Amino acid sequence: FRRSDGEIGKDKSKLLHNAYEDHAAMFQELKTAMNTIGFSRADQMEIYRAICGLLHLSNLTLQGAFLETNDGEECMLNPDCLSLGPALSLLGVSYEALNAAVTTVQFKAVDELVKKNLTASQAIRAVQALIKG
């Protein structure tokens, strides 16, 4: 998609399709371009894996988002979410590592490492930030 300039008096935020009606042809053009640039087949597969993993991250859900703990609200990634397994596999991370990365924050205070639970809205923003890089 791209933003159109629109015509005078028209909505300038109208989105137009990227002109690729044939997605198989578009993918073939992408592969041809990557080959031309010099990406190996293995490099291309790693790029596709990363993209697919990030797309799966966008479907993650939270569980227990309103459980009260000693430092506020606590949440965790929903282990029953259908996109979780593929995301973990494609990105090569464990559930524990991903869950900690998006539901907690660690900081150093007076020479002590402190771990704080994020609220559900903060965890959602953490996942979004991870996807956007």
Side-chain angles (χ1 to χ4, degrees):
F1 288 94
R2 65 178 172 81
R3 184 178 178 275
S4 71
D5 290 331
E7 297 175 15
I8 296 175
K10 297 275 185 168
D11 178 8
K12 292 187 179 187
S13 64
K14 180 180 175 186
L15 294 175
L16 300 176
H17 193 272
N18 62 10
Y20 282 101
E21 297 299 325
D22 183 351
H23 294 279
M26 179 180 67
F27 183 63
Q28 186 58 47
E29 284 183 34
L30 173 66
K31 291 191 319 186
T32 300
M34 292 176 96
N35 288 331
T36 300
I37 293 171
F39 284 99
S40 69
R41 179 146 171 79
D43 289 342
Q44 291 178 39
M45 290 306 295
E46 286 300 313
I47 291 168
Y48 302 145
R49 287 178 61 87
I51 292 169
C52 288
L54 293 173
L55 290 171
H56 279 288
L57 285 182
S58 68
N59 294 324
L60 296 183
T61 58
L62 298 173
Q63 177 178 319
F66 301 104
L67 298 176
E68 291 296 323
T69 64
N70 60 350
D71 63 353
E73 191 177 291
E74 180 180 26
C75 60
M76 62 185 252
L77 291 175
N78 182 355
D80 297 325
C81 179
L82 295 177
S83 288
L84 180 60
L88 296 174
S89 176
L90 289 163
L91 298 174
V93 298
S94 69
Y95 171 82
E96 293 77 15
L98 182 60
N99 187 62
V102 300
T103 63
T104 62
V105 64
Q106 291 184 354
F107 53 93
K108 194 171 187 178
V110 190
D111 296 327
E112 181 181 347
L113 190 60
V114 178
K115 179 179 164 185
K116 182 178 183 323
N117 294 321
L118 297 178
T119 65
S121 61
Q122 290 170 326
I124 290 167
R125 286 194 301 274
V127 172
Q128 292 169 343
L130 179 61
I131 293 167
K132 292 176 183 177

